[in-house]
Amino acid sequence: MGPPSRETWAQRLGAFRASPSAFMAGPEGEDLGRDLLIELRSEKLSEQTKVSLLALSLEYPAQLWPDAAAAEAAATSLLDTLVLLPPRPSALRRPLLLAATTALAAGDALGPTSGASRRLLPLLLGLASGRDLGRGFGPASEQRPLQATACECLRELESCKPGLLGDCLGLLRRLLGQEGPVQPLSLLLALALRNALVIRAKAKAGLQGLLVAGDAPTPGGPWNWALAEEGGAHPQPQAPSWSAAEDEECGLAVLEPSPEEARELRAAVAQLLDSSYLLTPVAQAQLLWLLGWALRGLRGQPPVLFKPQLVRLLGTAQLALLHAVLALKAAFGEALFTAQDEALLLRRLTLAAQHPSLPLPAHLFYLHCLLSFPENCPLGPGGEEAAPLLLGTRLGRSLLPSLLHDPMTLLARLHLLCLLCAEDEEKEEKGQDWSPQRYLRELLAGLRQRAALDGGPRALAALCFQASYLVVRCLATQPLVLTPLTHGLAELYRARPALAPHFVDLLDRVGPELGEPLRVVLRQEVVSRPGRDEALRWHLKILAKVADGNAPSATLGFLRAAAAHCTDWGLQQALLRVCRTLMLAGVREGLADLLQALARQLEDPDGRDHARLYYILLAHLAGPKLGVALGPSLAAPALTSSLVAENQGFAAVLMVQEAPAPIRLSVGPRRAAGPGPVLQLQVEVLEPVFSLELRFRVQGQLYAPLDAVHVPCLRPGRPCSPLLLPLQPRLPAPTQLSVRALYATPAGLTCHAHLPPVPVNFEDLFLPFPQAPDDGDKQGFFEELWDSCLPKGAESRLWCPLGPQGLEALVSRHLEPFVVVAQPPTSYHVAIRLPPDSRLLLRLEAAQADGVPVALRTDHWAVLPLAGDYLRGLSAAG
């Protein structure tokens, strides 16, 4: 059997990228890494195809080389391939270096016993230093790109094994002064210097001439691993994290370099800072942070070295550089920043946070900087939230939140307002004309007024509760704020009981400062205003959360009146949950009579059985045993009750038991119609099932909560119509639904079971545009959508393999409902609507025999990788 062709490789790579774990578990997965290394030496594949293979090894090294032995063998093979390249220019040298480095780093194979490490490290250092390593490393035109790539590879290895280049600091200093790539060398030297200082400080040893230039290790010669072994294999943080830097400060303080070492260290830092203006903004920020951490707490190294850079960067408009300046401020405080510098920074942040031409992410960045501003002389204890002292009322009033702001900006400004309120309590007591607390109360009232609109957007209600939680977290000790907030929330519930789930979530998150009074007013609000139908459902949900032993007579009276309106199974279960809460709270008087009445009155047999069980438990068990019986654990200890011991079979019938699921759930054909995406679920059973309830839960916040699906009866061999499950994505992203089934068996048992998760794929969210013209200018409609995606959206291009079916068959099978303009068989324009409010546009033009180039545009940048994976997997899906 001959080597795989280019088309075969394209199919294998497409299947691998569609699902790497599933592909590696299949029959072809075991040989993929080996075949990839073999094909890199094949003369039948073009360099571009080989670059694609190397890109795969850079993206998925852990899947291709799962252990240290495989990673070592792969790195050795990649280095052999590199040496065998002809001396002419080649696009493979840099990817081969990156692939060998990635294999060693990801496979944890880097070490003194690794033969590939002993070959790679001197090779990279030689390339970084610009030495002539022979004819296998290309012409002179490739040396500078190779030098930059070698520096990047060394930086990656130094990050994985701190101290690896500790013996090369002097050489790197010398290289930085020569003609070479400034940015890679600067970042490499800064990282190696930082790691060497930390390791030497932990060992309580001096620098021992590390900064003096020495001879570079020769290929095949020994490499000095001493410093790397002292530091261990624990990578240091590579992004600004000054809490981590504080942990290192004590260690750096014990490092006492000699005067000669201190001079060399200052010279090295000054050399790096003097050339930093040649770096990109992100690289400058990284360099400043690394050097700031290296010098923080180190004796004999004044922070005045950073002063010229500070003067240059105080007026920067680059967010990365401004963040680096604030990181330096957090590191050195008043030793580097004067009060005038601090005031200037605060004023700049305040003005930028409200600049109308800046985008939303920039506004949020500046507000975050204000909320966590590192002050020179903070008054409160470390870690305590407080507004900057120099911010003042005048600057603070310019950042007040408004109902017109978008939610993220409003919450960030509200956070700052809460910090101002915490410092302005005395002014409120003196009754000044304007105070932050009065403005805060008016803002919260406005948010509650918008949330109370019947049928209003759910996002407004969520924003109201997010703001309430933020206020409670920041101002938990201020009754002037919490008392009107409590009564305002009670009025909000009175106006819109459907917000009960938000109230329950808020009660779960807040402390007793708001939780206790809010429970009281909500309980009073519910029992004084009995409702029917939908309102009754929300009242019972709130009571199940807030009911306790206080004023039980009013609660029981409400439940007696509500029992007459509880006609369906869901309302009866909600009523019984309130009874269960009262039982756990120790309420007995009057509750037993209510449970007896419910056992006779409720229409649903399941509800009557539960009420009878609760009555039996309440009448025969004391408080501690009752708590154990009603607890969530199904493996509760045996109860020392003669009634329970004599009636174990009866109790088993009444309890919900866990059992293997006789239910098979699968996803049916996709429905591309309607206002939102809907999953069609096919249900099969192995035995008769009655009163089936399927409950779905989505991990995280990507989707809104899903309603349960009910089926009265299912029997084996009798087909059931598909169950429709509407989805409400908050972001157009795939997910998995965990499924729990609650059902009754022919023997009368009530059982619950966990079913395998149901996948929601990216294509399950596709919807057509309802406003597309039927006979009008479809091309104009598509072009209008295409142009509307930019500049706020994103654009990409990719190659979609077709396989044997061709473009027309592929579009007909997968994309037919979304085609706006079609010129079969070579050109299609596709418009896809993605909930909640995104779009994906595709141009499939100039199709060839093996594939078609696809141009993509979307107004949501996160959709691009999902769309790319979907299109690449179409040919494999068939």
Side-chain angles (χ1 to χ4, degrees):
M1 189 176 191
S5 63
R6 184 168 66 91
E7 292 76 12
T8 304
W9 268 112
Q11 293 178 1
R12 290 183 73 183
L13 297 186
F16 176 80
R17 290 181 184 276
S19 179
S21 57
F23 185 88
M24 297 303 293
E28 295 186 359
E30 183 178 356
D31 299 330
L32 179 62
R34 185 194 62 189
D35 293 345
L36 185 149
L37 295 173
I38 293 174
E39 291 302 314
L40 288 175
R41 301 189 188 184
S42 171
E43 296 182 357
K44 295 184 178 181
L45 293 182
S46 64
E47 281 197 347
Q48 192 60 38
T49 304
K50 294 180 181 179
V51 170
S52 300
L53 297 180
L54 288 172
L56 192 77
S57 69
L58 294 175
E59 294 179 44
Y60 303 99
Q63 286 82 2
L64 294 173
W65 338 115
D67 52 48
E72 170 79 12
T76 301
S77 177
L78 291 168
L79 290 174
D80 292 339
T81 304
L82 175 65
V83 173
L84 294 175
L85 289 178
R88 64 174 181 269
S90 173
L92 291 176
R93 288 189 177 85
R94 296 170 65 195
L96 282 169
L97 284 175
L98 292 169
T101 302
T102 303
L104 288 177
D108 198 21
L110 185 66
T113 60
S114 164
S117 301
R118 291 194 296 270
R119 291 178 60 188
L120 178 63
L121 287 171
L123 172 62
L124 291 176
L125 195 60
L127 290 173
S129 58
R131 292 205 309 263
D132 183 9
L133 297 179
R135 60 188 297 272
F137 289 94
S141 60
E142 270 193 87
Q143 294 309 306
R144 191 173 183 87
L146 277 175
Q147 190 176 3
T149 302
C151 291
E152 294 294 339
C153 293
L154 287 172
R155 187 154 66 100
E156 181 67 24
L157 297 177
E158 173 68 21
S159 301
C160 297
K161 182 109 27 201
L164 181 68
L165 299 175
D167 204 35
C168 306
L169 291 176
L171 173 63
L172 295 177
R173 282 187 62 195
R174 187 183 66 195
L175 294 177
L176 186 60
Q178 300 173 358
E179 292 186 4
V182 177
Q183 179 165 305
L185 280 171
S186 298
L187 294 178
L188 177 61
L189 175 57
L191 178 63
L193 178 63
R194 189 278 307 267
N195 289 343
L197 289 174
V198 172
I199 294 171
R200 285 300 187 188
K202 288 181 179 179
K204 298 182 179 180
L207 295 178
Q208 300 176 356
L210 290 178
L211 294 172
V212 180
D215 295 332
T218 58
W223 187 273
N224 188 354
W225 295 86
L227 200 62
E229 291 174 350
E230 288 180 21
H234 303 291
Q236 302 289 344
Q238 298 301 307
S241 175
W242 290 103
S243 59
E246 291 174 1
D247 298 336
E248 301 290 347
E249 182 180 0
C250 296
L252 290 174
V254 303
L255 184 62
E256 297 185 6
S258 64
E260 172 100 14
E261 293 172 341
R263 283 194 299 272
E264 290 290 338
L265 181 56
R266 281 196 296 272
V269 172
Q271 182 183 10
L272 287 168
L273 291 175
D274 289 344
S275 60
S276 64
Y277 72 95
L278 298 173
L279 279 57
T280 63
V282 175
Q284 287 186 59
Q286 180 78 359
L287 178 71
L288 291 172
W289 178 74
L290 287 171
L291 294 179
W293 191 358
L295 298 187
R296 187 185 189 196
L298 190 62
R299 299 180 182 179
Q301 300 299 322
V304 72
L305 290 172
F306 293 95
K307 197 65 177 180
Q309 306 303 319
L310 181 62
V311 172
R312 178 173 65 90
L313 297 177
L314 271 179
T316 181
Q318 296 288 339
L319 299 187
L321 291 176
L322 181 59
H323 192 240
V325 170
L326 292 174
L328 289 176
K329 192 174 189 310
F332 299 110
E334 59 185 348
L336 182 59
F337 288 77
T338 64
Q340 291 79 9
D341 295 335
E342 187 173 57
L344 176 62
L345 268 177
L346 273 175
R347 185 170 180 80
R348 276 209 60 211
L349 293 173
T350 305
L351 295 176
Q354 52 189 315
H355 199 287
S357 65
L358 291 178
L360 174 61
H363 284 168
L364 295 178
F365 169 78
Y366 288 118
L367 288 170
H368 172 75
C369 291
L370 284 171
L371 289 170
S372 55
F373 187 76
E375 296 186 89
N376 285 349
C377 303
L379 294 182
E384 183 183 70
E385 280 191 326
L389 293 175
L390 297 180
L391 185 61
T393 304
R394 185 173 62 84
L395 286 177
R397 289 185 67 172
S398 64
L399 293 174
L400 292 178
S402 166
L403 296 179
L404 301 178
H405 288 130
D406 65 275
M408 297 298 294
T409 303
L410 187 146
L411 290 174
R413 290 190 174 212
L414 177 63
H415 194 176
L416 186 61
L417 175 61
C418 291
L419 298 182
L420 292 174
C421 290
E423 298 179 355
D424 209 58
E425 191 172 3
E426 298 84 1
K427 296 180 182 179
E428 175 72 17
E429 295 174 354
K430 293 176 183 177
Q432 293 190 359
D433 293 337
W434 184 91
S435 72
Q437 291 187 3
R438 189 177 301 115
Y439 186 88
L440 175 62
R441 290 194 293 269
E442 295 173 356
L443 177 69
L444 293 176
L447 288 172
R448 290 193 296 269
Q449 185 176 3
R450 292 199 308 179
L453 296 175
D454 192 19
R458 202 165 184 84
L460 294 180
L463 178 61
C464 174
F465 283 91
Q466 289 170 342
S468 301
Y469 169 75
L470 184 59
V471 170
V472 175
R473 188 171 70 86
C474 296
L475 304 173
T477 60
Q478 296 198 18
L480 290 176
V481 175
L482 295 188
T483 301
L485 176 60
T486 303
H487 293 295
L489 289 173
E491 294 175 359
L492 174 60
Y493 179 77
R494 182 189 311 151
R496 195 177 177 188
L499 297 179
H502 291 282
F503 281 94
V504 172
D505 183 61
L506 181 65
L507 288 170
D508 286 335
R509 295 174 182 273
V510 299
E513 297 85 3
L514 178 70
E516 294 304 324
L518 184 57
R519 288 173 186 270
V520 172
V521 297
L522 285 177
R523 184 175 63 248
Q524 294 173 351
E525 188 66 37
V526 169
V527 300
S528 63
R529 298 175 180 271
R532 297 183 180 182
D533 303 329
E534 193 65 24
L536 178 58
R537 184 184 305 275
W538 302 125
H539 290 340
L540 293 174
K541 187 176 185 68
I542 287 292
L543 270 186
K545 184 66 179 177
V546 304
D548 55 20
N550 297 323
S553 58
T555 305
L556 292 173
F558 172 85
L559 295 179
R560 291 191 192 94
H565 305 290
C566 294
T567 56
D568 64 73
W569 182 87
L571 284 175
Q572 293 173 18
Q573 294 301 311
L575 180 67
L576 290 169
R577 277 194 290 270
V578 181
C579 296
R580 183 177 181 275
T581 301
L582 291 174
M583 293 170 66
L584 290 172
V587 176
R588 289 181 175 271
E589 184 178 354
L591 182 56
D593 296 336
L594 174 63
L595 290 172
Q596 275 188 319
L598 293 177
R600 297 189 301 268
Q601 177 182 345
L602 296 181
E603 298 178 5
D604 187 79
D606 186 39
R608 293 198 302 270
D609 291 343
H610 272 80
R612 190 177 297 113
L613 173 64
Y614 285 166
Y615 172 74
I616 293 172
L617 295 176
L618 183 65
H620 294 86
L621 296 182
K625 294 180 180 178
L626 184 62
V628 172
L630 296 174
S633 174
L634 297 176
L639 304 176
T640 56
S641 168
S642 60
L643 179 66
V644 175
E646 293 171 3
N647 296 277
Q648 288 182 352
F650 176 68
V653 172
L654 298 182
M655 299 295 288
V656 178
Q657 303 184 26
E658 186 171 7
I663 304 166
R664 300 291 180 265
L665 194 64
S666 60
V667 180
R670 190 174 70 212
R671 289 185 50 178
V678 177
L679 279 187
Q680 291 197 91
L681 302 178
Q682 305 284 354
V683 185
E684 299 178 0
V685 293
L686 306 179
E687 61 185 52
V689 168
F690 305 99
S691 301
L692 173 64
E693 178 181 275
L694 296 174
R695 301 175 180 177
F696 302 90
R697 184 171 178 269
V698 187
Q699 295 290 341
Q701 302 294 325
L702 291 178
Y703 286 64
L706 304 177
D707 294 331
V709 177
H710 299 88
V711 183
C713 178
L714 287 172
R715 295 183 181 275
R718 294 187 182 180
C720 171
S721 58
L723 306 180
L724 302 183
L725 180 64
L727 302 175
Q728 298 180 16
R730 291 171 177 150
L731 287 174
T735 187
Q736 279 194 336
L737 307 180
S738 58
V739 189
R740 185 183 176 196
L742 188 68
Y743 59 93
T745 67
L749 298 176
T750 301
C751 302
H752 77 92
H754 293 278
L755 303 183
V758 173
V760 179
N761 299 317
F762 179 58
E763 57 268 25
D764 294 331
L765 307 180
F766 289 3
L767 294 170
F769 276 85
Q771 67 271 29
D774 295 332
D775 302 317
D777 184 13
K778 294 185 176 182
Q779 182 66 39
F781 172 75
F782 182 83
E783 294 298 337
E784 183 179 352
L785 292 177
W786 183 265
D787 296 336
S788 66
C789 290
L790 298 181
K792 294 184 178 180
E795 182 176 13
S796 181
R797 294 180 180 271
L798 57 85
W799 177 261
C800 176
L802 292 179
Q805 73 269 31
L807 177 60
E808 188 173 6
L810 182 141
V811 172
S812 175
R813 178 172 297 184
H814 300 285
L815 299 173
E816 180 66 30
F818 319 107
V819 174
V820 178
V821 181
Q823 296 178 0
T826 60
S827 176
Y828 294 89
H829 293 177
V830 178
I832 300 172
R833 184 165 58 92
L834 295 171
D837 54 1
S838 300
R839 60 187 60 172
L840 172 64
L841 306 176
L842 309 175
R843 287 182 185 267
L844 296 89
E845 298 175 334
Q848 302 178 19
D850 58 341
V852 58
V854 183
L856 301 86
R857 274 194 187 180
T858 177
D859 57 355
H860 194 301
W861 64 268
V863 170
L864 282 183
L866 299 172
D869 293 341
Y870 168 69
L871 292 172
R872 295 186 190 97
L874 287 183
S875 62

